[in-house]
Every structure is written in C-alpha cells, then in structure tokens.
Amino acid sequence: MTKDFRLSRRVLLQSGLVLGAGTLAAPLRAATPLKVAGIHGSPVENAWNSVLHQALLDAAKEGQIEYVFSEAVSPTDYPRAMSQYAEQGAKLIIGECYPIERQARQVAADYPDTAFVLGSSTGPAGDNFGVFGTWNYDGAYLAGMLAGKMTKTNSVGSVGAMPIPEINLLINAFAEGVKAVNPGATHKVSWIGTFFDPPKAREAGLALIDGGADILFGERIGTADAAKERGIQAVGSLIDYTPMYPGTVFANALWGFRPILDAAIADVQAGKPVGRDYTSYGLLKEGGSDIAYVKGVAPAEAEEAMEKVRADIKSGAFTVPADANEPK
C-alpha cells in the first residue's frame, strides 16, 4: 500500500472481480449499491480481518455494496486512510480502531456525512461512529468445556495478541469453560504483543507446551503450528482451522461478521444514525457466532454436556460469564 493510500492494483482487481460477479445475481442487487470501504490493520489473511473481509466480499458479490479495501495499514497511517476513503465518497467505512481510539473518533467528527463502524474496546460517538466487539466468547467457553475433559496433564494454555478487553473476554471464557468441567485444571496465557506474527505465536505455544500444557487455545494464528509440531490438540478462534490442521485443531470458536455488517448497512441505507454498539449481533444467540468441533475427539459425555449448554445459550437460559479483565 502506498503512503498516499491510492488503491493498489490488488484492490482494484479484486474489487472489480467481485462487482463483476455480482452482476450475475441481479435479483439480489440493491437499486444503488452502497459504497463501502474496508480498512484492515493486518493482512486480510489474518483471521480477524479475514472474517470482516469475507463478509464484505460476500455482500459485494450479492450486489448489496461496492467494496474497496486497504490492508496492513499501520496505526500511524490509519486515520489518514479513514479520511481519504471518506473524501473518495465511501458512505460506510468498516475497520478497527483499537490502537487509535481517540484519533478515529476525531476523523469521524470531521466527516459527519460518512458512517464509520469500527472494531473498538470503547463506545460509539455521535451519530456516525458505531462500534462492534469480537464476541465469539460463547464458542470459546464451549470449546473450553471439551478441553477440560480432554486434558491429561490438567494444564491448558492460550496464546493471545495483547491483553485488551476483546481478547481478555475470549481467553477468560475459554478458561472458565475448562474450569466448569475440571476445577482442578490450570490455565496459562502467553502474549505475543502484536496482532499478526505467526512465528511468534508458534514460539509462545511451544513454551506453553514445555510448561506442561497439552491443549492450546489459539487466539492468534501460529498457535496451531506449535500444537501440530508437538502432537497435541488445539482450539482455533474466529475461523475454522480444522481443514488446515486435521488431527490437531479439534474445535473452533467461530465468529461471523455478516449479521453486524447487515445491521450497519441497513441503518445507513435507511438514513439512521450508526452511532451505536453493534456487538450483540455477533453473539451465539443472535446467530453471529458458534462452535465447530470434530465429533468423537472429546469424550461422548463431554460433547453431550457441551451441547446442552450450547442450547441453553441459544435460548437465553445460560449466559457465559463476560470477564474483560486481564487473565491471571
């Protein structure tokens, strides 16, 4: 990506292909597709960004939006990318503002006619700055229930980016799921200090295994590589890693961005303010997240108990504890 944020050849080609494919599905196309820009702080191959990116690509293919994006945008350049997409006519900008919470809100204030809906650890601002959290912790809790009954060393570990509320919620939920079925199990966390560094996540995972963990929760890409290398089981997050790591990743705490995106698009098209929190659309009971697991890896009774809790979450009979404090 160039420093002046001109759209790269990759962006133009990919956007053109998507929009071209969308013409084949005319009945699904909106009268005037909404111009949407995605600003990704990591490469779109990164799990979190890939979930957003795929939802946006799907919406473009259906003719609902016109989509352009930038990836691997550094925190120092992020506010400028926001401004330039707004000046280029984007009506909705999707992205993240975890490292630049204050600056992002200032950009939104400078462009009141543009809707911004960004991943954030804090609340919305004004009429045009909405937020969402990555709340796939229901699935993490359920995966923890399976892991708690599978561990032979009574020790599990998690590899995370950094202790921000969104990630704390996820890792704490996994640990709580483990303890719900195995109170004597221990849980350790290793932070890699960045959102995308697979080799560093692998090293952190190996260190946890050396410390006794025989199941890893991979909040970061690269964790499953350590598990595969040492022949232990792992849990993936955000996307389904099992096809990439068969025999290693037995469960995944899935998260889908499409319900959040659809709600934001509907608000923009209806002329409604987007200055609200869209996080709840991503919960399990709303269909925005879930668990995917390989049946038969965990004991049958563990799967049965987990499925009962899963049904209770969906019905509202059980709520997974939401702990945003740094894991101990």
Side-chain angles (χ1 to χ4, degrees):
M1 193 63 189
T2 58
K3 284 295 182 179
D4 63 357
F5 287 96
R6 294 188 180 93
L7 298 181
S8 67
R9 182 173 182 270
R10 174 181 178 182
V11 171
L12 291 172
L13 286 174
Q14 194 156 359
S15 299
L17 286 170
V18 168
L19 294 175
T23 60
L24 299 177
L28 298 177
R29 179 176 292 279
T32 304
L34 191 70
K35 294 182 179 180
V36 179
I39 308 176
H40 303 282
S42 298
V44 293
E45 289 80 8
N46 185 33
W48 189 88
N49 299 92
S50 75
V51 174
L52 272 66
H53 186 56
Q54 189 60 56
L56 288 157
L57 288 174
D58 290 345
K61 184 176 181 180
E62 294 166 11
Q64 195 172 5
I65 65 173
E66 293 179 6
Y67 173 49
V68 294
F69 70 97
S70 300
E71 61 183 320
V73 180
S74 70
T76 54
D77 286 333
Y78 208 97
R80 186 150 56 97
M82 293 171 62
S83 297
Q84 292 194 352
Y85 274 125
E87 291 173 1
Q88 291 168 9
K91 297 303 180 184
L92 173 62
I93 294 176
I94 299 291
E96 59 206 273
C97 64
Y98 299 107
I100 53 152
E101 298 280 1
R102 181 182 59 80
Q103 299 96 316
R105 285 161 176 75
Q106 182 56 58
V107 172
D110 293 339
Y111 296 91
D113 295 330
T114 302
F116 297 84
V117 177
L118 307 182
S120 172
S121 294
T122 58
D127 288 338
N128 71 323
F129 189 90
V131 298
F132 63 89
T134 313
W135 283 12
N136 59 322
Y137 60 80
D138 289 329
Y141 181 90
L142 297 172
M145 290 184 66
L146 297 180
K149 286 296 188 180
M150 291 170 57
T151 176
K152 295 179 175 61
T153 62
N154 250 15
S155 177
V156 300
S158 295
V159 176
M162 56 192 74
I164 62 174
E166 297 300 315
I167 295 174
N168 295 344
L169 282 166
L170 187 61
I171 291 177
N172 283 330
F174 173 74
E176 286 298 316
V178 171
K179 292 179 181 178
V181 300
N182 187 350
T186 61
H187 172 255
K188 296 180 181 179
V189 184
S190 181
W191 306 105
I192 65 172
T194 182
F195 289 114
F196 188 73
D197 193 334
K200 196 169 184 179
R202 171 186 165 275
E203 291 297 325
L206 291 173
L208 288 170
I209 297 169
D210 289 340
D214 65 349
I215 297 178
L216 295 182
F217 176 62
E219 192 275 325
R220 288 294 109 184
I221 288 178
T223 309
D225 293 306
K228 181 179 179 180
E229 185 174 325
R230 295 294 180 85
I232 69 167
Q233 299 288 324
V235 175
S237 179
L238 298 173
I239 62 175
D240 188 349
Y241 284 94
T242 300
M244 292 177 277
Y245 297 92
T248 298
V249 176
F250 72 95
N252 301 271
L254 303 179
W255 180 63
F257 183 65
R258 190 61 188 272
I260 293 173
L261 176 63
D262 286 346
I265 289 173
D267 283 345
V268 174
Q269 290 178 329
K272 295 180 179 179
V274 298
R276 63 187 184 102
D277 191 336
Y278 291 87
T279 301
S280 63
Y281 292 96
L283 290 170
L284 173 56
K285 65 180 180 180
E286 300 294 337
S289 61
D290 208 340
I291 182 174
Y293 66 100
V294 181
K295 292 187 177 182
V297 178
E301 61 272 19
E303 293 181 2
E304 183 179 349
M306 182 276 290
E307 285 289 1
K308 182 182 183 306
V309 173
R310 179 171 175 260
D312 287 343
I313 295 171
K314 285 186 173 183
S315 71
F318 177 75
T319 300
V320 172
D323 182 1
N325 295 307
E326 183 173 349
K328 301 299 184 184

